[in-house]
Amino acid sequence: MTWGTCDTLRMVVAIERPKIEGNIAVGEDRQIGFAEFGNPQGRAIFWLHGTPGARRQIPTEARVFADEHHIRLIGLDRPGIGSSTPHQYENVFAFAEDLRTIADTLGIDKMEVIGLSGGGPYTLACAAAMPDRVLAVGVLGGVAPTSGPDAIGGGVMALGTFVAPLLQVAGLPIRLAATGLIRLIRPVAEPALYAYARISPEADRQLLVRPEFKAMFLDDLLNGSRKQLAAPFADIVVFARDWGFRLDEVKVPVYWWHGDRDHIVPFAHGEHVVSKLPDARLYHLPGESHLAGLGRAEEIMRTMLDAWDSSAQK
């Protein structure tokens, strides 16, 4: 994506609020928070946030593209973040039933799903569980399996696999401490973001300090994490387990973007997962790191829109 040709880069420091925001019951005592952007009558694309993240972790370019191309773009809080009820899934695959309930409640039949980083496994789970409803999925630097026949070692999940048993035993005190830390960070959130940017790889650093991305991350952090911060720990626990489905069960088209200098999820993990999927295309991003997909939101949205058109012609 280039600055000269992107007609949707109308950047502002103050990020636009969602058009609709609320909670959806997914069980007798559980709910999931959601935020909608774009056209409420348009084609539905769910955008699943990273680890950590929340429902508003959707780039400005994606929101503007949704407005201009009649797309109903929906961000979700995973359990334990934002307004979602804390919950530990038995495995990654179990999330798909929640998304099915959310889609039914919102009156959505056909959909696409995009997932960033920790949202990637859940995206693939939805494709495996609902091939009749999920037309295609996009994954941006997604986490790879660490157990079972599809597993690969290394990356940040090497540490995650080590700490997962601890989180299952001492999860509540750790989550409470993390939530308290977020509350302390709130008054200095912007300097904290710059501090993180300084220790990030060059490609991610340039992205984090762009005004529109800084606004998005701060908005998502301070709104999604102000009450609770259980989701990232729940993610680590469930990622370390068998995911509950095999990669070769994902029959719908998968479009995967991955930077070859990703310091969180190695590029080799993206290559590995794509090689195991029946219908997948890897978009190699030379010199880019973990957040690269966020900087290519228009390209990604356009690719997903094209995939929708292709599925309609079959």
Side-chain angles (χ1 to χ4, degrees):
M1 180 173 67
T2 63
W3 287 82
T5 60
C6 179
D7 61 355
T8 64
L9 282 174
R10 294 197 286 272
M11 301 310 175
V12 290
V13 174
I15 195 162
E16 181 185 3
R17 292 175 60 85
K19 292 185 176 179
I20 303 173
E21 200 161 27
N23 304 319
I24 293 175
V26 292
E28 290 185 4
D29 58 353
R30 292 200 300 117
Q31 59 186 14
I32 295 288
F34 75 99
E36 279 200 27
F37 305 89
N39 187 332
Q41 304 303 320
R43 301 176 182 184
I45 298 181
F46 287 93
W47 188 295
L48 306 184
H49 62 76
T51 304
R55 62 188 179 274
R56 296 188 184 185
Q57 195 185 72
I58 300 177
T60 300
E61 294 102 317
R63 303 181 188 194
V64 174
F65 189 92
D67 270 325
E68 295 182 345
H69 294 83
H70 310 292
I71 293 170
R72 187 180 186 184
L73 184 60
I74 306 165
L76 301 177
D77 289 328
R78 280 199 289 282
I81 200 74
S83 58
S84 289
T85 310
H87 176 70
Q88 182 64 67
Y89 291 117
E90 180 181 353
N91 52 40
V92 171
F93 191 72
F95 170 80
E97 190 58 34
D98 280 355
L99 187 69
R100 187 194 305 272
T101 300
I102 292 166
D104 289 345
T105 302
L106 295 176
I108 295 168
D109 181 23
K110 302 297 184 180
M111 70 197 88
E112 293 183 333
V113 187
I114 298 172
L116 166 70
S117 186
Y122 299 106
T123 298
L124 296 176
C126 293
M130 297 182 284
D132 56 328
R133 299 180 67 175
V134 177
L135 302 179
V137 299
V139 179
L140 321 180
V143 172
T146 60
S147 64
D150 295 325
I152 184 173
V156 71
M157 274 309 298
L159 175 61
T161 302
F162 176 77
V163 302
L166 171 65
L167 292 176
Q168 293 181 74
V169 175
L172 180 59
I174 294 172
R175 292 194 297 269
L176 291 175
T179 302
L181 178 61
I182 288 294
R183 289 171 183 157
L184 292 174
I185 288 175
R186 283 180 65 89
V188 292
E190 186 171 351
L193 183 64
Y194 277 118
Y196 176 73
R198 280 196 293 271
I199 63 173
S200 296
E202 177 64 22
D204 281 359
R205 181 162 60 248
Q206 291 180 2
L207 192 70
L208 286 166
V209 299
R210 279 170 51 180
E212 75 280 8
F213 282 100
K214 181 181 72 173
M216 179 200 70
F217 279 117
L218 292 177
D219 175 64
D220 187 61
L221 172 70
L222 299 181
N223 282 283
S225 307
R226 62 184 175 184
K227 295 181 180 179
Q228 55 180 335
L229 193 64
F233 304 102
D235 280 351
I236 292 171
V237 170
V238 79
F239 293 162
R241 299 173 178 170
D242 186 286
W243 286 4
F245 67 98
R246 303 280 79 83
L247 294 176
D248 63 9
E249 297 175 45
V250 180
K251 305 298 186 182
V252 307
V254 178
Y255 302 89
W256 189 293
W257 288 263
H258 213 124
D260 61 13
R261 296 190 181 179
D262 193 325
H263 62 303
I264 303 294
V265 181
F267 179 68
H269 284 206
E271 292 181 307
H272 170 78
V273 175
V274 168
S275 73
K276 299 280 187 178
L277 294 166
D279 183 4
R281 177 175 177 179
L282 176 64
Y283 293 87
H284 176 193
L285 308 178
E288 299 194 51
S289 192
H290 190 58
L291 301 178
L294 293 177
R296 293 173 175 259
E298 182 177 359
E299 171 191 326
I300 289 162
M301 293 291 286
R302 193 175 298 281
T303 299
M304 300 309 296
L305 197 57
D306 291 343
W308 195 305
D309 290 337
S310 296
S311 69
Q313 295 171 5
K314 293 180 180 179

